[in-house]
Amino acid sequence: EFVVNFDATGHSVADINKRLLDLEIFGGKDLTRDFPELGASALYCVTEVHTQADLERLADALKEVIAQ
């Protein structure tokens, strides 16, 4: 598991997750309400089920989403 902070993007986690879902990717757990001190952050979990290609697809999708 790891946390990604999106404060510098100007996008909310909810918005990012919605855009990821449009790309058929489930986003991370929005931590904004539970841990407001973390800002606009999301928790992601990676297991042995996920491939390197899956991680690269997520990273590419996040780059695309936050660039909009």
Side-chain angles (χ1 to χ4, degrees):
E1 296 179 342
F2 59 96
V3 174
V4 177
N5 179 280
F6 295 105
D7 282 345
T9 69
H11 297 289
S12 69
V13 175
D15 183 43
I16 290 168
N17 283 347
K18 181 184 178 301
R19 292 178 185 186
L20 287 174
L21 198 53
D22 291 342
L23 299 172
E24 299 182 358
I25 297 174
F26 288 103
K29 164 137 173 65
D30 189 346
L31 301 175
T32 306
R33 286 189 193 164
D34 296 328
F35 299 96
E37 66 274 13
L38 296 179
S41 295
L43 177 68
Y44 291 85
C45 179
V46 178
T47 69
E48 67 278 354
V49 175
H50 300 98
T51 65
Q52 182 68 32
D54 293 332
L55 297 175
E56 290 171 5
R57 181 170 176 246
L58 172 62
D60 290 342
L62 282 170
K63 287 179 195 174
E64 178 183 330
V65 164
I66 63 175
Q68 296 176 350

